[in-house]
Each structure stands twice: as C-alpha cells, then as structure tokens.
Amino acid sequence: MMNIAKKIVILVTTFFSMNFLTSTSFAADATVEMLNKQGKESMVFSQKIVKINIGDKVFWKATNKGHNVEFIKGGVPEGVEKFKSKFNKDVEYKFDIPGIYAYWCTPHKSMGMIGFVVVGEDKSNLEAIKAIRFSGKSKKLAPDLINSL
Ligand SMILES: [Cu+2]
C-alpha cells in the first residue's frame, strides 16, 4: 500500500514535469487551434489572421483531429520552403522571412479552413496573395480576410 506522503511526492513531481513539458512545447508567440467547430463555423482555424514579429513562432494545436497546415503555393514570401504538416499533429513554425503567409488545411481548403500570418508588418507580397485561387467557401471568405491583413 502506498502511503499519503509518497502519493503527494509523485503528484508534485508529475505536476512539475508536466508543467515543464508544457512550457517548452508551447513556447510559441501565437497559438492557433485546428477545430471542427467554432461558433457557427465548421472546419476552421481559431484565428484566421495572426500578426507576429520576424523570428516569432506560431503553434497550431491539433485540438480536433483530421486537420493540418499547408502553405499555399505562391502564397508565401520568396525564399520560403514548402511546408505541410502531418494530420492530427500539433505543429510549430518559426517565421524568419518577413511577408504574408497564406495557408490552408489540405482536406478542408475549399471549406473555409484558411489562415494568414503577417510577419514583421511586411505586406510586400500582397498582390501574390490576392492572386491565389481559392475555391468554394474559401473563395467567399478570402477577399475580406485579405483586405484586413
Ligand atoms: Cu481541416
């Protein structure tokens, strides 16, 4: 039988180690949740627009399953490599190149599951962002979002 003191020690140790893990793996400057539902919307990033500084990180939390993050071809500043995260996985990205980044969730890209990150208040690639061909519900959402970048 385990005595109370021992139980407390285990609880406290667990608490501190979990806390440590949390603070290291969530060390992002902005967090966006990947959600099946938010208010009246379904298949949605919890924040569609995030503005950060150069070198900041965005953390996408896989709160609901079946989503990912994929940078849209032509929708990122020059010199940025392709980026596509795994389904159902939390993911973090460090934004070292300034400009606008447009991304979507691969399976829900025409269902409005799109998002934008503006890095370093740089909108020099805005024309390229406006030229992205969205479809379905995303096509309806995109213009207003792009106008408010
Ligand atoms: Cu999705």
Side-chain angles (χ1 to χ4, degrees), residues 43 66-68 105 107-108 113:
M43 308 309 173
H67 306 288
N68 75 338
C105 162
H108 305 123
M113 196 157 179

Side-chain angles (χ1 to χ4, degrees), residues 34-36 43-45 65-68 87 104-109 113:
M34 302 185 254
L35 300 170
N36 291 347
M43 308 309 173
V44 64
F45 290 107
K65 305 279 182 216
H67 306 288
N68 75 338
F87 293 119
W104 52 35
C105 162
T106 314
H108 305 123
K109 61 179 166 189
M113 196 157 179

